[in-house]
Amino acid sequence: MTNQAPVAWVTGGTGGIGSAICRSLAADGYQVVAGYHNPEKAKKWLEAQKADGYDNIVLSGIDLTDYDACVAGVKEISEAHGPVSVLVNCAGITRDGTMKKMTPEQWHEVIDTNLNSVFNTCRSVIEGMLENGYGRIINISSINGRKGQFGQVNYAAAKAGMHGLTMSLAQETATKGITVNTVSPGYIATDMINNIPEKVREAIRETIPVKRYGTPEEIARLVTFLADKQSGFITGANVDINGGQFMG
Ligand SMILES: NC(=O)c1ccc[n+]([C@@H]2O[C@H](COP(=O)([O-])OP(=O)(O)OC[C@H]3O[C@@H](n4cnc5c(N)ncnc54)[C@H](OP(=O)(O)O)[C@@H]3O)[C@@H](O)[C@H]2O)c1
């Protein structure tokens, strides 16, 4: 069964930033497919979205670290809702530690979830986008992929690697109606930040020129802008959205 609305697949859709992206794209008329990892949390999350009137969001628990699972998952999404027009790679984890203490498991888990997943999802949607002559891919990186961060060699490497993929894929698809961009948020007020002790949060806030944390809705607004048909001249770009904390 196909549906008229263009399909947007948001990995990590149930997270702090992902939720705002899903809601913004849903409000913009997309059929949104929200990726998750934790099925219990995802079920409750979807109920909350429906209670808020977002009827055009469905869940998808594709294992992003498994290439075959991504290919099969994209086939299922396409059969149920139509081809994926917009892919937002927003799933991400941290497993922090200095190089001296970091285990190979911490390294591989972050590279698999934050970077290898991006190959798996992009590779799974790209043939469909090329056939349709249209697509929008938006990769959610991080300020820490731009400047590095103490205790995050794994995370910063994955997030910087994401933009290398963005620029290369953007060149490969530039004449095919497909744009590929990176969005690099600074500190955003999600649970990740809200759970930090207030004293530390305040110290971090002081390092941000605008003197506040960003909101998930601000990231969602940028993603929705890049996802729009009219944003076709923006490709291969990294857009920093960090309150002036890093200007590179
Ligand atoms: N928050 C910030 O300040 C900030 C700043 C810069 C960049 N970012 C980036 O923005 C993105 C979203 O961050 P957030 O703060 O919204 O994080 P979050 O609330 O922890 O959300 C992360 C999302 O990724 C999903 N996920 C985690 N592991 C997964 C896996 N193995 N397979 C599939 N999905 C998985 C989670 O699913 P479950 O909820 O089901 O586990 C959740 O939907 C991340 O890529 C992060 O690196 C965040």
Side-chain angles (χ1 to χ4, degrees):
M1 187 197 79
T2 51
N3 169 323
Q4 290 299 321
V7 174
W9 177 24
V10 182
T11 74
T14 57
I17 293 174
S19 297
I21 294 173
C22 287
R23 289 160 75 101
S24 176
L25 291 173
D28 215 27
Y30 291 90
Q31 168 60 56
V32 173
V33 179
Y36 64 88
H37 189 52
N38 176 339
E40 291 308 310
K41 180 184 154 190
K43 223 174 131 196
K44 285 188 193 136
W45 178 88
L46 188 63
E47 281 165 16
Q49 307 316 309
K50 288 207 184 303
D52 286 345
Y54 294 94
D55 290 323
N56 49 344
I57 302 178
V58 294
L59 290 169
S60 167
I62 299 170
D63 180 355
L64 304 176
T65 63
D66 179 339
Y67 173 69
D68 292 334
C70 285
V71 172
V74 167
K75 191 164 176 272
E76 265 175 37
I77 293 171
S78 303
E79 283 168 3
H81 306 288
V84 175
S85 295
V86 175
L87 166 64
V88 183
N89 281 302
C90 187
I93 57 167
T94 53
R95 297 289 182 268
D96 295 354
T98 56
M99 180 63 102
K100 199 175 147 190
K101 292 190 179 153
M102 186 169 291
T103 63
E105 289 74 26
Q106 284 173 299
W107 170 264
H108 289 298
E109 208 181 334
V110 168
I111 298 296
D112 273 350
T113 307
N114 296 10
L115 182 61
N116 291 338
S117 65
V118 179
F119 167 77
N120 293 338
T121 58
C122 289
R123 181 67 185 85
S124 301
V125 301
I126 203 67
E127 287 178 49
M129 287 183 175
L130 288 167
E131 264 167 40
N132 294 332
Y134 185 80
R136 297 279 181 263
I137 297 177
I138 298 146
N139 295 323
I140 308 299
S141 178
S142 166
I143 186 173
N144 293 346
R146 303 267 293 135
K147 66 171 188 56
Q149 178 63 30
F150 187 100
Q152 286 199 326
V153 292
N154 49 2
Y155 184 82
K159 293 299 190 182
M162 225 181 198
H163 189 53
L165 183 152
T166 290
M167 292 187 290
S168 305
L169 185 55
Q171 290 176 35
E172 292 178 19
T173 57
T175 60
K176 312 288 183 193
I178 300 169
T179 67
V180 190
N181 292 292
T182 300
V183 166
S184 294
Y187 286 92
I188 308 303
T190 62
D191 286 348
M192 204 160 100
I193 298 295
N194 295 334
N195 292 335
I196 299 174
E198 173 55 21
K199 251 192 166 167
V200 181
R201 257 191 298 155
E202 207 179 301
I204 296 173
R205 198 182 298 122
E206 276 310 299
T207 67
I208 305 171
V210 301
K211 303 293 179 207
R212 68 170 178 87
Y213 289 102
T215 66
E217 288 71 26
E218 286 173 314
I219 306 301
R221 187 169 159 79
L222 172 58
V223 170
T224 305
F225 174 81
L226 292 171
D228 199 273
K229 267 198 177 118
Q230 294 184 72
S231 300
F233 204 53
I234 309 172
T235 195
N238 172 67
V239 186
D240 290 315
I241 174 161
N242 61 30
Q245 196 180 5
F246 178 77
M247 305 176 187

